[in-house]
Amino acid sequence: MGKKKKVAPLTANQKYEYTMKMVTSKSCITCKRQCARGLAYIEKMNKPGAVGKGVPCILTKGKAYQ
């Protein structure tokens, strides 16, 4: 019969990848607990002509997939 495809287990980062909210640089600036990813995004967006779509916020991650 047909063989089933073996699925590789997800890492911790992959589990939470799609459950984090995307935030803009305005949210990162006002955040009380600024992370390295947010600070790097703020620096990137402060340059003239920068276009961004947001960055996933580690503080808003949801529950892991089962």
Side-chain angles (χ1 to χ4, degrees):
M1 295 288 186
K3 293 184 178 182
K4 289 190 176 184
K5 202 177 210 183
K6 188 172 183 178
V7 178
L10 298 175
T11 63
N13 288 338
Q14 290 173 334
K15 285 182 182 180
Y16 294 115
E17 184 176 335
Y18 298 105
T19 59
M20 291 186 212
K21 292 181 183 175
M22 296 296 286
V23 296
T24 61
S25 59
K26 291 179 184 178
S27 300
C28 289
I29 291 169
T30 59
C31 184
K32 293 179 182 177
R33 296 177 53 197
Q34 292 181 337
C35 60
R37 182 187 288 175
L39 293 173
Y41 185 67
I42 292 168
E43 289 297 320
K44 176 185 167 190
M45 296 309 295
N46 282 335
K47 295 180 182 171
V51 177
K53 296 182 180 179
V55 64
C57 182
I58 193 74
L59 302 174
T60 62
K61 66 182 178 181
K63 293 185 179 182
Y65 298 118
Q66 295 289 326

